[in-house]
Amino acid sequence: MRMKLSVKRTVDRWFNKIAKNPALSVTVSILWLMLIGWVAFGWNLGNIGLIDETEPLFAEASRQMFVTGDWITPFFNGDTRFDKPALIYWCQAIAFHLIGVNEWAVRLPSAIAAFGLVCLAFYTIQWYLTKQDELEQVSRPTRRYLISFIAAALMALNPETIIWARTGVSDMLLTGCMGSALLCFFLGYAGKESRGAGEQGSRGAELITNALFPNKWYLAFYVLIAGAILTKGPVGIVLPGLIVGAFLLYVGKVREVLREMNLFIGILIILGLSVPWYALVIWRNGWNYINSFFGYHNLERFTEVVNGHSAPWYFYFVIVLLGFAPYSVYLPASIIRLKFWQRSHWRSLERFQQFGLFAWFWFASIFVFFCIAVTKLPSYVLPLMPAAAILVALLWSDLFPNTENENDTEKLLDNSSSSPRIPIPASLVWSGWVNVVFLSFLATALFNLTHILGTDPAISNFHELIQQSGIPVIAGVIWLVCAVLVAGFLLIRRWNYVISINLIGFVAFLIFVLTPALFFIDRERQLPLRELSAVVLEAKQPDEELIMLGFKKPSVVFYSHIHVNYLGFPQEALQHIKNQAAKGLKPASVLLLAEQKKFLQMDLQPDDYKSLSTKGAYNLVRVPFKKKKNEKIDIS
């Protein structure tokens, strides 16, 4: 017990020293953010090839912008690509200019967006806890720093964020813009109150309200909303508008806040930054762009099933459970803790004290919105993950005492029968045991991973290779050990260590399981295509066509830098070759990249083609234009 008290007092003294030294405080905060940012977003970011299907579509469209200088209309494989607005392509093209055309440059915008969001959230939570200490007239630097560190780690170190921050698509850029915009709104909203204290503050608040431009945080909010619109379109303003509107309506401050935000100026800022590109792309492409982007990729995705992406009503419950694992088990307790249904209570609080309520509206609005949408994808709920991290971090902040004497905190945190001053909520107790069950279930599933996973046509002996790698065993052991440790800490009532075990377990899982698994998938699934792309670059004759038969792998377009003609069926490919031969084209051959099964179905004889390379499940051959030899082959 004395050792336990000694360690706790040492930690308290250390954080007190940090709090009293601004330079040290900034240094420690930056080092912590850099550490988790590198582990979560930077480590091995560009050492794995692009992953089919979606990532290479963005990468090649950005490369086309970089090569052609056309920064208005995105193209992929010779066709316009109207799926997403231009900001993600601009960011990747700029990265190509700075560090070259490679995987690092493709993923750097996503990683930077995620890191920037985590940093702003860290600042916001620390600001909120500082304001809370000032209101209660206490000094709790240990609480302030530890909860900020935990919140930043929770936001960065979860499966959903890790996946999309390391993938060169628009989802994390949208989340970065939208999440940062919402945090800026709250800082502007809550910070406005402090200016109204006292006579001088009242005059300052009046001047700010009557000023032409809103305060810096509201200004940043408007700029980031414009960025979100340029990243994914109308959803970039619809979701933040829904969240902010619902929150202000609930706390009864709609008119008051809209006035201080200078909404008219804000709308002009948003339109001025986002509309010019939309005007140019519509001017150049007309109704083709309007129907494709606004019609198909926005309206139809919300009202109809697009590309077969349908799912049952409980789909996003599962995605949040697994995507924010292992901390997702604490979300119910985090939400219950708020008692958000007590509207009169929340309306009576000062603005900054409504931070938890704001995070709840952030989480719930996005969750409900996409549950209503007909098309469902796991990435759609990525923007609610920061709110989930904030909610869980605030739950853990309750485990710190309301006392100015940090040396007495150990008695309170121990929660023993002799120190009942901090009662642990029942919801947190049962959440802890649900945590144990969840981790045990996760470990069991990973031990039996080869029986759960389906087959991969690109990897013939997929299950055997996974088992030989030892990844399922390592993953299962990590989470089983975490389950045992969490159960042990619950039994001895060391509640404040439970979340740390989950975080350490996830870091171990990332380092020893997720990263090796990604390298394994890249080696077995993507490396053959990159190697064949290199062969294509070397063997391709001028104006020779490349046909991809039976599958679509956009990474070949990115790595080979040439147009690919996608054909679905062997007979379709034979007919196409026959038609090309009839035109008398030069050179008198085509390159054919096909899965081995599809290639065999073409019934080509050995003298009808020349094998160039075989990698993994794929064959690359050259098919010369020849006269008809038999009934099976007609490519004259």
Side-chain angles (χ1 to χ4, degrees):
M1 184 63 172
R2 287 183 178 178
M3 181 179 294
K4 180 180 169 185
L5 284 168
S6 176
V7 171
K8 184 64 178 64
R9 287 170 179 167
T10 301
V11 171
D12 290 338
R13 283 195 296 269
W14 190 65
F15 280 115
N16 272 294
K17 185 181 295 185
I18 292 175
K20 293 175 182 177
N21 188 331
L24 181 61
S25 172
V26 171
T27 302
V28 170
S29 299
I30 291 174
L31 289 175
W32 174 254
L33 290 171
M34 289 178 64
L35 175 63
I36 62 173
W38 177 251
V39 171
F41 311 133
W43 181 51
N44 284 316
L45 179 67
N47 294 337
I48 296 170
L50 300 186
I51 301 173
D52 288 304
E53 312 273 332
T54 307
E55 190 177 34
L57 296 174
F58 285 88
E60 177 60 16
S62 302
R63 192 188 70 83
Q64 285 296 313
M65 277 192 176
F66 173 67
V67 171
T68 65
D70 183 354
W71 295 76
I72 298 175
T73 304
F75 285 91
F76 173 80
N77 201 32
D79 298 322
T80 54
R81 174 170 166 75
F82 294 149
D83 297 47
K84 300 294 182 288
L87 187 57
I88 181 62
Y89 306 124
W90 293 344
C91 293
Q92 290 179 337
I94 292 171
F96 289 155
H97 176 74
L98 294 175
I99 62 175
V101 180
N102 53 53
E103 293 86 352
W104 283 91
V106 172
R107 294 164 180 156
L108 194 59
S110 295
I112 291 175
F115 183 66
L117 175 58
V118 170
C119 291
L120 183 57
F122 175 86
Y123 169 82
T124 305
I125 292 170
Q126 193 166 92
W127 177 86
Y128 161 75
L129 294 173
T130 301
K131 294 285 291 181
Q132 198 173 57
D133 284 357
E134 291 175 359
L135 181 68
E136 299 173 12
Q137 297 182 341
V138 296
S139 175
R140 294 172 291 189
T142 302
R143 173 180 184 260
R144 190 163 67 247
Y145 283 96
L146 279 182
I147 296 304
S148 300
F149 291 163
I150 288 172
L154 292 174
M155 198 171 293
L157 299 168
N158 62 79
E160 186 91 353
T161 301
I162 290 286
I163 290 170
W164 297 110
R166 290 172 167 268
T167 306
V169 297
S170 60
D171 296 275
M172 183 50 73
L173 185 58
L174 172 70
T175 300
C177 289
M178 187 184 300
S180 298
L182 291 169
L183 291 171
C184 285
F185 163 79
F186 187 81
L187 287 168
Y189 166 81
K192 176 71 170 61
E193 193 168 43
S194 63
R195 299 188 186 94
E199 184 179 348
Q200 183 178 355
S202 297
R203 288 197 300 269
E206 184 179 353
L207 288 173
I208 289 168
T209 302
N210 295 329
L212 178 61
F213 291 100
N215 68 42
K216 62 181 180 181
W217 294 114
Y218 286 147
L219 204 58
F221 169 73
Y222 292 134
V223 172
L224 288 163
I225 289 297
I229 294 171
L230 283 171
T231 301
K232 272 213 172 182
V235 72
I237 191 171
V238 170
L239 280 177
L242 180 65
I243 294 164
V244 171
F247 170 73
L248 293 178
L249 188 65
Y250 190 80
V251 297
K253 295 184 181 294
V254 176
R255 292 184 179 180
E256 176 185 343
V257 174
L258 291 184
R259 280 197 304 270
E260 69 190 39
M261 289 179 71
N262 288 6
L263 187 60
F264 178 72
I265 297 297
I267 292 174
L268 290 180
I269 293 171
I270 293 171
L271 295 178
L273 292 174
S274 61
V275 166
W277 175 81
Y278 283 98
L280 288 171
V281 75
I282 292 172
W283 173 70
R284 180 176 290 184
N285 299 279
W287 283 100
N288 287 335
Y289 180 81
I290 294 172
N291 292 331
S292 177
F293 179 69
F294 292 103
Y296 181 75
H297 289 291
N298 281 274
L299 184 60
E300 288 189 26
R301 281 180 181 269
F302 190 80
T303 59
E304 302 176 19
V305 176
V306 171
N307 295 334
H309 296 307
S310 62
W313 64 268
Y314 54 83
F315 176 72
Y316 287 124
F317 287 91
V318 177
I319 294 301
V320 172
L321 175 66
L322 298 179
F324 194 59
Y327 335 107
S328 50
V329 294
Y330 293 99
L331 278 171
S334 303
I335 294 168
I336 292 171
R337 162 193 174 273
L338 295 173
K339 299 180 181 178
F340 61 87
W341 54 87
Q342 297 180 355
R343 189 183 184 196
S344 59
H345 166 71
W346 285 105
R347 295 183 67 172
S348 67
L349 297 178
E350 293 193 29
R351 287 189 180 187
F352 83 88
Q353 293 177 290
Q354 298 166 345
F355 185 47
L357 181 69
F358 180 72
W360 158 244
F361 273 98
W362 179 350
F363 179 91
S365 298
I366 294 175
F367 188 85
V368 172
F369 181 87
F370 285 113
C371 281
I372 295 172
V374 179
T375 298
K376 290 178 168 57
L377 285 169
S379 61
Y380 284 179
V381 292
L382 177 63
L384 64 74
M385 293 299 163
I390 292 169
L391 289 170
V392 174
L394 294 182
L395 171 68
W396 243 259
S397 71
D398 290 345
L399 296 184
F400 288 80
N402 296 323
T403 178
E404 191 171 357
N405 184 2
E406 289 286 338
N407 292 328
D408 294 336
T409 58
E410 179 55 35
K411 295 179 181 178
L412 301 169
L413 285 170
D414 187 47
N415 198 46
S416 63
S417 57
S418 62
S419 52
R421 293 173 61 185
I422 294 186
I424 302 299
S427 59
L428 182 57
V429 175
W430 58 254
S431 292
W433 289 109
V434 171
N435 190 183
V436 174
V437 173
F438 178 73
L439 294 179
S440 302
F441 178 82
L442 193 60
T444 303
L446 289 168
F447 278 130
N448 296 277
L449 186 63
T450 53
H451 302 291
I452 299 172
L453 289 176
T455 58
D456 189 336
I459 309 175
S460 57
N461 53 342
F462 180 56
H463 287 174
E464 291 80 1
L465 291 173
I466 283 285
Q467 195 66 37
Q468 291 172 9
S469 70
I471 289 174
V473 175
I474 296 172
V477 168
I478 287 173
W479 291 122
L480 188 59
V481 169
C482 288
V484 172
L485 290 175
V486 170
F489 283 124
L490 290 175
L491 288 173
I492 62 175
R493 300 183 180 183
R494 300 279 189 90
W495 308 98
N496 47 323
Y497 292 103
V498 170
I499 198 67
S500 300
I501 294 299
N502 283 275
L503 281 167
I504 293 170
F506 186 83
V507 171
F509 185 72
L510 172 64
I511 294 172
F512 299 109
V513 178
L514 284 182
T515 301
L518 286 173
F519 275 106
F520 166 80
I521 293 172
D522 178 65
R523 182 180 68 250
E524 300 296 332
R525 196 172 187 267
Q526 297 297 144
L527 180 59
L529 292 171
R530 294 200 298 277
E531 293 174 338
L532 289 172
S533 297
V535 174
V536 167
L537 276 174
E538 183 179 345
K540 181 180 178 294
Q541 301 175 17
D543 299 324
E544 189 173 26
E545 182 183 16
L546 173 61
I547 297 173
M548 188 176 290
L549 173 62
F551 65 103
K552 289 186 177 181
K553 299 295 182 183
S555 61
V556 174
V557 180
F558 177 80
Y559 287 110
S560 68
H561 299 171
I562 64 173
H563 181 274
V564 175
N565 189 4
Y566 296 104
L567 298 175
F569 304 99
Q571 291 304 317
E572 183 183 4
L574 290 171
Q575 185 61 43
H576 178 78
I577 296 172
K578 176 181 177 181
N579 294 339
Q580 296 297 94
K583 296 177 182 178
L585 299 176
K586 298 294 182 180
S589 63
V590 297
L591 295 178
L592 178 67
L593 178 59
E595 292 177 335
Q596 293 181 11
K597 181 179 179 181
K598 294 288 184 181
F599 178 72
L600 293 175
Q601 291 175 3
M602 293 182 69
D603 287 337
L604 292 177
Q605 300 303 314
D607 58 344
D608 292 325
Y609 66 92
K610 178 184 178 181
S611 179
L612 300 178
S613 183
T614 298
K615 301 290 182 181
Y618 309 106
N619 290 334
L620 176 65
V621 301
R622 172 173 280 122
V623 182
F625 299 151
K626 291 184 179 181
K627 293 182 178 180
K628 180 177 178 181
K629 284 192 169 187
N630 52 51
E631 292 299 321
K632 287 186 177 180
I633 306 170
D634 186 0
I635 53 175
S636 59

